């Protein structure tokens, strides 16, 4: 097993890649970190202050959900590179596949090349009927 030094500066997180495994593309197999754990509830693509939906498309909702996560982690004293896990819940796999390039652009605009451990789950629906995606996060903020 190797621990990579690819974590962003000032981060306590390290990417873990078992010996012989290829590095994940767009995600990490595992992240090790020390600090205060911040668990972020699932965020949808609305403006959390007004609950207004400014985007009806998956890339737009994804961008908003990720901005919400970064803002919450920031309120806890962390940065985007302190996020160690993202779990995505999508309502339409084909829509996600068709928008992967745009979603990747949105992701990199907020996170750069920081890729935490991630899972993507397709679900039959979300509590908010207009939501196309919901993303929850775990961050480890340095003490």
């Amino acid at each position: 097993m190797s621990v990579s030094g690819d974590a962003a500066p000032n981060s306590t997180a390290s990417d873990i890649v078992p010996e012989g495994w290829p590095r994940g593309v767009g995600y990490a197999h595992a992240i090790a970190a020390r600090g205060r754990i911040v668990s972020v509830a699932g965020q949808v693509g609305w403006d959390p202050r007004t609950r207004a939906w400014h985007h009806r498309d998956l890339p737009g909702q994804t961008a908003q959900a990720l901005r919400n996560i970064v803002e919450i982690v920031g309120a806890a004293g962390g940065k985007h590179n302190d996020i160690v896990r993202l779990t995505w819940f999508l309502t339409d796999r084909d829509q996600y596949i068709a928008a992967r390039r745009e979603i990747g652009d949105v992701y990199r605009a907020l996170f750069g090349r920081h890729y935490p451990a991630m899972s993507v789950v397709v679900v039959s629906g979300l509590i908010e009927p207009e939501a196309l995606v919901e993303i929850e996060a775990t961050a480890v903020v340095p003490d």
Side-chain angles (χ1 to χ4, degrees):
M1 174 175 51
S2 68
V3 177
S4 165
D6 290 346
N10 301 321
S11 173
T12 60
S14 298
D15 186 6
I16 297 174
V17 181
E19 189 172 328
W21 286 32
R23 181 170 302 285
V25 177
Y27 68 94
H29 294 293
I31 298 286
R34 293 177 192 259
R36 187 168 48 98
I37 295 172
V38 178
S39 298
V40 180
Q43 297 297 304
V44 294
W46 65 13
D47 178 326
R49 289 168 179 81
T50 64
R51 295 190 174 178
W53 295 91
H54 301 296
H55 304 282
R56 303 291 176 193
D57 63 310
L58 184 56
Q61 287 192 18
T62 299
Q64 184 64 56
L66 291 172
R67 281 193 298 269
N68 295 349
I69 289 167
V70 170
E71 186 172 345
I72 291 166
V73 171
K79 297 182 173 121
H80 75 280
N81 60 342
D82 294 321
I83 296 170
V84 298
R85 180 169 190 67
L86 293 171
T87 303
W88 301 50
F89 301 94
L90 301 168
T91 59
D92 188 322
R93 179 189 180 277
D94 294 336
Q95 188 177 39
Y96 173 78
I97 297 298
R100 268 197 330 210
R101 175 163 290 193
E102 288 175 89
I103 291 169
D105 291 344
V106 160
Y107 180 90
R108 284 185 299 280
L110 290 164
F111 286 82
R113 296 281 178 197
H114 173 67
Y115 298 110
M118 287 192 225
S119 297
V120 178
V121 181
V122 178
V123 296
S124 63
L126 297 166
I127 296 299
E128 296 302 327
E130 295 180 61
L132 303 173
V133 62
E134 184 168 332
I135 306 171
E136 60 183 28
T138 304
V140 179
V141 176
D143 290 324

